[in-house]
Amino acid sequence: MAEQHEKALVPQIRFTGFTDPWEQRKLGEVASGFEYGLNAAASDFDGEKKYLRITDIDDQTREFRTDDLSSPDINNPIDDRYLLKEGDILFARTGASVGKTYLYKASDGKTYYAGFLIRAHVSDEADAGFIFQSTLTERYKQFVLLTSQRSGQPGINAQEYSDLLLPLPSLMEQRRIGAFFDRLDSLITLHQRKYDKLCVLKKSMLDKMFPKGGSLYPEIRFAGFTDPWEQRKLGELTESYSGGTPAAGESEFYGGSIPFIRSAEIAAESTELFLTEKGYESSSARMVKPGDVLYALYGATSGEVAVSRQKGAINQAILAILPRDDCDARYITAWLRKQKGYIVTTYLQGGQGNLSGVIVKNLEVFIPSLPEQQKIGFMLSHLDSLITLHQRKLELLRNIKKSMLDKMFV
């Protein structure tokens, strides 16, 4: 790929061998149709005819979501002009999702599109993949913003979409760009699916590896463990303490070398604020070390829990939980994470307010032997690491795509 920095209709980055400036053309010059979709309700999926509505287009990936398929609720044969084919792009025409787009793929099967969508069929003069990626750029977002706000209800009609101005390179360059982003999208989808599967697996393990319904036995457990679990108060299994904050406005208390961990940073590798020795000694802040369990007590993060990844001082919004010899830190972290919904619902009015060290210490914990705790804690911690890995890869790939959309389109 070669870099270009010329003005006019030339992108910042383009493939080697392409030097001609792009032309600005209306979408209606390279696409036809601009037809509204089928005016029919949705019914249960019949196993053959898929029905695509605005809500079936994933906001993030722009793919056809297949987790809740439906069919058009029509007894008579459906007019084939509502049947999607390769080269078709759908545009949402009204409501909060106005401007959202979808590129039909043959792998999506026999699909009809609904009435709040407009279908445009890209001609042989242009590449459908390139045109679709153009609708993910900032230029297109500005078009949607300006065009849709002409009245109280956001909307863009077929004629307005037809008049959309798009900078276009040669067909060969369009195809190269379209193929590049198609491969990038495939990588993003691959990691998204791996991430989703791991999250589902973790949810299932959290549900099945802990006792429920008053039982002292989990649904599944590691081989060799058969003893019933015990129910104990968390305060019987751990030591705990919270910290404090130096006086506001005292500049000599901040900017030192001691990481100052706040509730949103309990799982982070670094902090934004640092205390001086004087700031630490002049407050009730307390030190924690890597491996300590940190529990958020206050505000929007109430109920969040993590094993600390750094040595630093905590404020009063964090409870440090130090397991005793018969208790595993990763197990306690997993249990508190599983119980977050119950804890927040039970002790915070409408999900608002603060928890306290006393509340946390009095929580009833189901707990097996230490070796079984360690196996459960290790497995769930390993799952968390895999989930984080794929999440970071997803974020990296999405950032790469955003950067390439900025630089490879005019």
Side-chain angles (χ1 to χ4, degrees):
M1 299 175 89
E3 292 198 5
Q4 303 286 329
H5 299 285
E6 300 177 18
K7 295 182 179 180
L9 293 179
V10 177
Q12 185 178 348
I13 296 177
R14 65 199 305 189
F15 288 99
T16 303
F18 297 102
T19 58
D20 293 338
W22 293 20
E23 296 180 10
Q24 188 156 260
R25 300 179 67 183
K26 289 184 178 181
L27 179 58
E29 296 177 37
V30 294
S32 60
F34 295 94
E35 300 159 324
Y36 297 98
L38 185 63
N39 185 19
S43 63
D44 293 339
F45 182 49
D46 64 7
E48 178 191 8
K49 298 184 290 294
K50 297 177 183 177
Y51 198 29
L52 180 61
R53 301 155 296 173
I54 292 176
T55 53
D56 296 316
I57 302 172
D58 188 274
D59 290 332
Q60 186 73 51
T61 66
R62 298 297 177 87
E63 292 190 338
F64 187 176
R65 296 175 49 195
T66 57
D67 53 331
D68 187 25
L69 289 174
S70 63
S71 294
D73 189 10
I74 294 179
N75 294 323
N76 300 323
I78 304 173
D79 192 329
D80 279 350
R81 66 193 176 97
Y82 299 113
L83 185 63
L84 294 174
K85 56 183 180 296
E86 287 196 77
D88 285 349
I89 298 177
L90 297 181
F91 297 82
R93 65 182 178 88
T94 189
S97 297
V98 62
K100 185 160 71 168
T101 55
Y102 156 81
L103 174 65
Y104 174 74
K105 301 180 182 70
S107 58
D108 287 336
K110 189 174 184 178
T111 304
Y112 298 87
Y113 70 104
F116 286 105
L117 293 163
I118 296 172
R119 186 257 304 277
H121 181 74
V122 179
S123 71
D124 293 339
E125 294 181 47
D127 180 75
F130 175 88
I131 299 296
F132 169 70
Q133 296 295 338
S134 297
T135 69
L136 306 179
T137 63
E138 287 301 319
R139 173 191 280 265
Y140 176 76
K141 291 175 185 176
Q142 286 302 309
F143 160 79
V144 171
L145 181 65
L146 294 173
T147 308
S148 66
Q149 296 301 327
R150 69 192 187 285
S151 62
Q153 175 69 15
I156 301 177
N157 61 39
Q159 184 59 53
E160 288 165 331
Y161 275 124
S162 178
D163 289 337
L164 167 65
L165 288 173
L166 291 175
L168 299 178
S170 67
L171 181 57
M172 185 63 71
E173 189 172 4
Q174 289 181 48
R175 287 172 175 165
R176 289 287 299 276
I177 294 171
F180 169 79
F181 280 100
D182 184 59
R183 289 194 295 272
L184 190 54
D185 284 342
S186 294
L187 276 175
I188 292 171
T189 299
L190 175 65
H191 285 290
Q192 181 69 58
R193 287 173 180 167
K194 288 182 178 179
Y195 172 79
D196 291 343
K197 286 180 179 178
L198 286 168
C199 289
V200 170
L201 176 61
K202 181 183 175 183
K203 184 177 184 298
S204 176
M205 292 298 99
L206 285 172
D207 183 56
K208 295 179 179 179
M209 295 189 74
F210 293 85
K212 54 188 174 183
S215 173
L216 295 179
Y217 298 89
E219 184 177 341
I220 59 173
R221 63 200 306 189
F222 290 98
F225 297 103
T226 57
D227 292 338
W229 291 27
E230 295 182 68
Q231 191 169 8
R232 309 261 303 271
K233 287 188 176 181
L234 187 60
E236 298 172 7
L237 303 165
T238 63
E239 301 289 342
S240 59
Y241 56 83
S242 58
T245 302
E250 299 291 341
S251 59
E252 68 268 27
F253 290 169
Y254 294 92
S257 61
I258 302 173
F260 189 42
I261 305 170
R262 293 171 293 175
S263 57
E265 300 168 325
I266 57 176
E269 295 179 348
S270 61
T271 62
E272 290 185 0
L273 292 180
F274 291 81
L275 300 181
T276 61
E277 290 289 343
K278 184 175 182 181
Y280 177 69
E281 293 170 0
S282 301
S283 72
S284 55
R286 300 282 298 275
M287 294 297 294
V288 295
K289 63 184 184 301
D292 290 347
V293 179
L294 303 184
Y295 192 77
L297 298 173
Y298 294 179
T301 57
S302 294
E304 294 289 340
V305 60
V307 175
S308 179
R309 303 172 71 182
Q310 57 184 317
K311 180 180 179 180
I314 58 172
N315 64 15
Q316 65 276 12
I318 299 172
L319 185 71
I321 302 173
L322 285 60
R324 294 174 180 162
D325 292 341
D326 60 346
C327 188
D328 180 71
R330 286 182 295 196
Y331 173 84
I332 290 299
T333 301
W335 183 85
L336 285 169
R337 194 167 285 148
K338 171 181 168 56
Q339 295 295 108
K340 179 187 174 183
Y342 165 78
I343 294 168
V344 169
T345 301
T346 303
Y347 297 104
L348 301 184
Q349 293 290 331
Q352 301 295 318
N354 302 324
L355 297 169
S356 70
V358 173
I359 289 173
V360 177
K361 290 176 187 178
N362 284 320
L363 293 172
E364 297 284 346
V365 182
F366 278 104
I367 192 163
S369 66
L370 180 60
E372 191 171 4
Q373 290 178 50
Q374 291 168 336
K375 279 187 172 291
I376 294 170
F378 176 80
M379 190 207 74
L380 292 174
S381 176
H382 182 61
L383 265 180
D384 282 336
S385 296
L386 287 175
I387 289 169
T388 300
L389 174 65
H390 285 291
Q391 188 174 33
R392 287 176 177 170
K393 286 183 178 179
L394 267 174
E395 290 171 357
L396 175 61
L397 287 167
R398 285 170 180 158
N399 287 336
I400 289 173
K401 178 170 182 180
K402 183 179 185 303
S403 177
M404 291 298 98
L405 284 170
D406 289 342
K407 295 177 180 179
M408 293 182 70
F409 286 82
V410 174

